[in-house]
């Protein structure tokens, strides 16, 4: 197995940045190759009358800076500044982590951003100082987390997520599960803080089905076995600042965000797109158990499942939120699963799906600070 990939899998709980849009004042940029970038072919995003061209269309029309088995898109755009009452020109770079090549799975970080800048400058399409590069504005950010699970467990997980997804009558909102098991919530184009774009997908399948030149060049597909990804988007500058508690939405501020803060973006997107875990009151039960703790666990879970109509996974997430010590949480979780399996599931013919419990915890359902503040 590729060494970089293997090391990354030991850190699967860490979220990193997969892609983003970087916007730099054109006055801070020197265009070196006009066959790729030229102010004569700049795209007008807006003028004093409002929006002229959608940014998604601009990205589609943007010019490609070609590398080995992948490309990075860039465009010169003009946007009206109402405060200055004039159009301002920018260079936009649609940066993604393929530029890291064999270190692709590490994501874009503060540790590798200088190397990324060097690689971009080496193509001699444009020139910008590293200092100006770092303070350039950013938005449309994809934050990802990779994890390992077998195909059947992933299919079970996304089937379950579809069932507990927040419903919507609006077009392009809500959950869309595909035949291959991948699932998306909302769309990139319509993503907002109240309906964030979120997707879970099979990276191994992506490499195989698309016959992806990038993966064929830099990885052995066998090294991607059972690799899955969850990805959330911060679309607007306002979302970036609010979600990551930043004063300025620029590149260096973004890259100084901790893995925990990036994880929280994914966890929040999960919790917004899934039905809220219900608050319940525990009703008294007449069932007697020999051990007091076992009796309390049985009463608690029998009530939450039978009277509150919760799924076992929902009840487990609610309960474990009250345990902060990791070892204690592990022990109580083990005991809960045992009691549920032996005393509740057997009666109701409902087997506990341990893999699903593990995966729901991994993607962050029920872990959002906003739900348990």
């Amino acid at each position: 197995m590729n060494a970089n990939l293997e090391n990354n899998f030991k850190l699967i709980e860490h979220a990193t940045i997969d892609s983003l849009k970087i916007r730099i004042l054109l006055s801070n940029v020197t265009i070196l190759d006009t066959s790729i970038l030229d102010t004569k072919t700049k795209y007008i995003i807006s003028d004093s009358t409002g929006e002229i061209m959608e940014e998604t269309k601009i990205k589609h029309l943007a010019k490609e800076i070609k590398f080995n088995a992948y490309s990075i898109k860039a465009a010169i755009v003009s946007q009206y500044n109402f405060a200055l009452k004039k159009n301002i020109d920018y260079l936009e770079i649609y940066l993604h982590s393929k530029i890291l090549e064999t270190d692709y799975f590490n994501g874009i970080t503060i540790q590798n951003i200088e190397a990324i800048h060097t690689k971009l400058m080496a193509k001699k399409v444009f020139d910008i100082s590293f200092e100006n590069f770092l303070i350039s504005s950013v938005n449309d950010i994809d934050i990802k987390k990779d994890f390992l699970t077998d195909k059947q467990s992933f299919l079970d997980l996304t089937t379950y997520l579809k069932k507990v997804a927040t419903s919507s009558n609006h077009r392009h909102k809500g959950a869309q599960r595909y035949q291959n098991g991948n699932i998306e919530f909302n769309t990139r184009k319509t993503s907002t803080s109240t309906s964030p774009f979120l997707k879970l997908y099979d990276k191994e399948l992506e490499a195989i089905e698309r016959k992806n030149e990038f993966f064929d060049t830099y990885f052995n597909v066998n090294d991607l076995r059972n690799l899955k990804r969850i990805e959330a988007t911060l679309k607007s500058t306002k979302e970036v600042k609010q979600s990551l508690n930043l004063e300025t939405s620029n590149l260096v501020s973004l890259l100084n965000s901790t893995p925990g803060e990036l994880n929280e973006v994914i966890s929040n997107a999960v919790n917004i797109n899934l039905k809220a875990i219900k608050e319940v009151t525990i009703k008294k039960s007449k069932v007697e158990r020999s051990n007091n703790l076992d009796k309390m666990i049985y009463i608690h879970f029998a009530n939450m499942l039978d009277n509150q109509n919760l799924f076992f996974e929902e009840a487990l997430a609610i309960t474990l939120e009250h345990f902060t010590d990791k070892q204690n949480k592990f022990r109580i979780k083990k005991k809960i699963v045992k009691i549920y399996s032996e005393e509740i599931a057997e009666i109701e013919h409902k087997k506990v799906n341990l893999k699903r419990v593990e995966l729901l915890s991994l993607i962050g359902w029920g872990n959002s600070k906003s739900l348990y503040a």
Side-chain angles (χ1 to χ4, degrees), residues 205-355:
L205 198 61
E206 178 188 44
I208 295 170
E209 283 188 348
R210 295 186 183 180
K211 296 184 172 22
N212 197 300
E213 184 185 1
F214 173 80
F215 290 112
D216 287 344
T217 302
Y218 296 103
F219 298 97
N220 184 326
V221 174
N222 293 328
D223 292 339
L224 307 180
R225 182 172 172 78
N226 291 331
L227 179 62
K228 310 299 186 287
R229 174 170 287 189
I230 181 169
E231 199 171 280
T233 297
L234 293 176
K235 189 75 176 174
S236 68
T237 298
K238 183 179 178 181
E239 282 179 73
V240 176
K241 290 163 70 173
Q242 287 182 343
S243 298
L244 296 172
N245 195 28
L246 302 178
E247 289 187 11
T248 306
S249 178
N250 63 25
L251 183 58
V252 68
S253 297
L254 171 67
L255 296 180
N256 278 317
S257 299
T258 66
E261 289 169 331
L262 298 178
N263 267 324
E264 189 66 17
V265 172
I266 295 176
S267 184
N268 280 337
V270 169
N271 284 282
I272 289 170
N273 282 300
L274 300 184
K275 293 173 184 175
I277 297 172
K278 303 171 186 176
E279 292 185 11
V280 298
T281 54
I282 306 301
K283 295 180 181 180
K284 186 177 179 180
S285 172
K286 296 180 181 179
V287 178
E288 293 293 335
R289 299 289 155 188
S290 58
N291 180 284
N292 285 337
L293 177 58
D294 289 358
K295 181 171 73 172
M296 290 302 298
I297 290 173
Y298 179 84
I299 292 170
H300 178 61
F301 277 85
N303 180 72
M304 294 182 87
L305 273 61
D306 296 337
N307 300 330
Q308 306 296 331
N309 298 317
L310 297 182
F311 291 104
F312 171 70
E313 292 83 358
E314 291 176 297
L316 182 63
I318 290 169
T319 304
L320 293 180
E321 271 297 317
H322 297 277
F323 296 86
T324 55
D325 180 81
K326 286 187 178 180
Q327 281 191 324
N328 195 22
K329 181 182 280 192
F330 175 79
R331 285 195 293 267
I332 199 70
K333 178 180 176 181
K334 188 175 180 181
K335 184 180 280 288
I336 288 168
V337 170
K338 183 175 186 295
I339 291 171
Y340 172 79
S341 299
E342 293 177 353
E343 302 177 13
I344 299 175
E346 285 297 315
I347 295 170
E348 298 180 4
H349 307 291
K350 296 178 182 176
K351 291 185 178 180
V352 60
N353 190 324
L354 294 175
K355 195 68 180 179

Side-chain angles (χ1 to χ4, degrees), residues 5-150:
L5 199 60
E6 187 174 24
N7 289 337
N8 186 67
F9 286 166
K10 295 175 184 176
L11 300 172
I12 55 174
E13 74 277 12
H14 288 179
T16 54
I17 295 161
D18 179 57
S19 65
L20 69 160
K21 182 179 75 179
I22 297 174
R23 177 178 280 186
I24 309 160
L25 278 169
L26 195 60
S27 58
N28 291 331
V29 180
T30 302
I31 303 300
L32 302 176
D33 188 343
T34 54
S35 68
I36 297 177
L37 291 172
D38 194 335
T39 55
K40 294 177 182 178
T41 56
K42 66 185 176 185
Y43 300 105
I44 310 298
I45 294 177
S46 65
D47 61 14
S48 59
T49 64
E51 186 179 79
I52 291 177
M53 186 182 293
E54 290 182 355
E55 293 201 39
T56 50
K57 187 175 181 180
I58 291 173
K59 186 175 179 179
H60 177 72
L61 296 171
K63 301 295 185 180
E64 292 186 343
I65 303 171
K66 294 189 179 297
F67 293 82
N68 183 23
Y70 64 95
S71 62
I72 301 292
K73 287 190 170 186
I76 295 173
V77 302
S78 183
Q79 187 166 29
Y80 189 76
N81 185 306
F82 285 90
L84 298 175
K85 296 184 179 179
K86 66 177 183 178
N87 272 59
I88 307 294
D89 292 346
Y90 301 92
L91 172 66
E92 286 190 347
I93 306 168
Y94 307 100
L95 186 65
H96 52 76
S97 53
K98 286 181 180 178
I99 198 168
L100 297 168
E101 299 175 353
T102 55
D103 289 329
Y104 166 75
F105 288 99
N106 292 340
I108 299 167
T109 67
I110 194 68
Q111 288 78 23
N112 58 35
I113 193 61
E114 188 168 5
I116 290 172
H117 174 265
T118 300
K119 190 172 287 188
L120 284 170
M121 296 308 102
K123 300 303 287 187
K124 297 192 181 304
V125 174
F126 58 85
D127 186 69
I128 177 175
S129 70
F130 184 54
E131 290 73 19
N132 282 330
F133 188 65
L134 286 178
I135 61 172
S136 56
S137 63
V138 294
N139 59 25
D140 202 8
I141 301 160
D142 282 348
I143 298 170
K144 61 87 176 175
K145 182 160 60 174
D146 296 315
F147 59 98
L148 292 169
T149 190
D150 62 87

